[in-house]
Amino acid sequence: MQKDIDKCIAGIDIGGTKIALAIATPDGKIISKDRFSTSSENGAKAILARTAIKIRELADEARKDLIGVGIACAGPLDIKSKMTINPPNLPGWENFPVGETVEEQLRVPVSFDNDANAAALGEYMYGAGRGYKNLVYITISTGIGGGVIINNQLLHGTGDGAGEVGHLTVLPDGPVCGCGSRGCLELLCSGTGIARRAKESVLSGRETSMTSLVERVEDITSSTVVDAALAGDPVARQIWNETIRLLGIGIGNILVTVSPEIVILGGGVSLTGERLLAPLREFVYSHVRILPADRIPIVTASLADESGIYGALELARQSLNT
Ligand SMILES: [Zn+2]
């Protein structure tokens, strides 16, 4: 739009280890971007002040007037009041008014959502979800989160709980999750969960080649499990197969609830690509019988670790257009 030629929007993606930011044209074309570490010792206010200064610099360099900001933030959050509640990956950010602080610093309207919802929106608008009206995005990294888009709209639900797929029960008598429930998908199948199950196997005395792939047992990650499983290690194979089975149960339950047009997987564990996707599709498509599940593609995110920043920009763009 001609009238928007001198304007820009900004997106901020606040994660446990880094803040990514970008400025873009009002229709979402990125002009420039930056990222720096979330040095939590500096506190939320100092980090957001640094972020705001950087956004101002980028907008000035591009000779554009900033008109709106979207923020994707690690949860749990109070989305309506644009505050963090008690994010485990952001120590020192308890009950912090993120939206209000950035609004004061940059003097433009701020829209705010959790990082998984924003990533879903980013993939929907700019990534693997383009052209679909109904999709489910699932991030499998240190935790498991998700976002659900129905009829082109993010679903928030009661208490903003929609899309919290990391807390689907996949093992009713399983170990206790941080949320207070038992056998949650995140606890068992996040990168952290996969690694923890592998370490427990090693510490219980099972013979496995995983120990030869790392210096110390603590260094075992989900990648160690995948590598050892594909090399034929029986213990790693058992852990990886169980991961596929539990993820498959969770995704199968999502399919029969939402019946989306596509399921998009993001996060570090999804970078294993077909080594994850091929057996996962096979499990899901053979277990979900009530609907034509194999017409629902299960794919990896195409924006990789930038789904969140694209989603933050889309939050800004949508709020300015409504
Ligand atoms: Zn849980």
Side-chain angles (χ1 to χ4, degrees):
M1 284 180 286
Q2 194 64 31
K3 68 184 171 61
D4 284 338
I5 200 160
D6 296 324
K7 296 175 181 169
C8 72
I9 55 175
I12 307 172
D13 181 11
I14 305 172
T17 54
K18 54 106 183 102
I19 288 198
L21 55 94
I23 61 163
T25 59
D27 59 356
K29 289 189 186 65
I30 289 184
I31 299 166
S32 56
K33 54 191 177 182
D34 197 9
R35 60 171 59 202
F36 49 86
S37 81
T38 318
S39 27
S40 51
E41 69 273 18
N42 291 340
K45 194 156 191 171
I47 293 169
L48 291 176
R50 181 178 170 190
T51 307
I53 289 168
K54 191 70 206 175
I55 286 173
R56 277 263 168 257
E57 279 175 16
L58 294 179
D60 288 349
E61 275 169 23
R63 298 172 187 263
K64 307 258 187 212
D65 284 333
L66 184 69
I67 54 169
V69 174
I71 301 178
C73 188
L77 311 173
D78 182 333
I79 293 173
K80 200 163 172 225
S81 63
K82 304 176 191 174
M83 290 178 70
T84 46
I85 298 174
N86 53 349
N89 297 323
L90 288 168
W93 289 63
E94 290 79 14
N95 300 313
F96 193 83
V98 177
E100 193 184 295
T101 304
V102 174
E103 266 161 1
E104 276 170 14
Q105 287 164 337
L106 289 170
R107 307 214 165 273
V108 292
V110 166
S111 52
F112 188 71
D113 213 321
N114 77 49
D115 47 5
N117 280 348
L121 204 53
E123 287 293 328
Y124 158 78
M125 244 348 250
Y126 304 103
R130 266 182 304 181
Y132 295 100
K133 290 198 303 191
N134 302 293
L135 66 82
V136 174
Y137 168 85
I138 303 170
T139 175
I140 313 169
S141 57
T142 48
I144 292 183
V148 180
I149 290 177
I150 307 267
N151 282 333
N152 303 308
Q153 296 283 327
L154 257 180
L155 184 69
H156 284 95
T158 304
D160 296 319
E164 289 289 355
V165 297
H167 302 278
L168 280 163
T169 303
V170 289
L171 206 60
D173 299 320
V176 177
C177 174
C179 76
S181 186
R182 274 184 185 278
C184 291
L185 188 62
E186 168 173 288
L187 187 71
L188 298 155
C189 296
S190 62
T192 320
I194 298 165
R196 194 196 60 251
R197 288 190 289 121
K199 290 172 202 169
E200 283 168 2
S201 287
V202 173
L203 294 173
S204 73
R206 296 189 69 186
E207 279 293 316
T208 162
S209 64
M210 286 189 284
T211 49
S212 63
L213 298 175
V214 291
E215 275 188 30
R216 300 167 307 167
V217 177
E218 306 90 280
D219 299 333
I220 291 176
T221 65
S222 56
S223 300
T224 320
V225 177
V226 176
D227 291 345
L230 288 172
D233 180 86
V235 175
R237 274 174 93 145
Q238 192 184 15
I239 293 164
W240 187 237
N241 290 344
E242 181 72 348
T243 304
I244 302 290
R245 190 178 78 87
L246 297 173
L247 277 172
I249 291 171
I251 292 173
N253 287 341
I254 293 167
L255 292 202
V256 295
T257 310
V258 179
S259 198
E261 291 166 272
I262 188 167
V263 175
I264 302 170
L265 305 184
V269 175
S270 75
L271 300 178
T272 45
E274 285 301 310
R275 296 180 291 175
L276 168 71
L277 290 177
L280 191 57
R281 288 188 197 108
E282 194 184 326
F283 183 95
V284 172
Y285 297 163
S286 63
H287 280 75
V288 175
R289 310 305 289 263
I290 194 72
L291 53 92
D294 59 0
R295 281 176 23 201
I296 303 173
I298 301 173
V299 303
T300 47
S302 63
L303 301 172
D305 66 345
E306 295 203 312
S307 312
I309 193 71
Y310 275 96
L313 288 167
E314 181 57 15
L315 286 170
R317 197 189 70 83
Q318 285 189 354
S319 74
L320 290 171
N321 287 341
T322 50

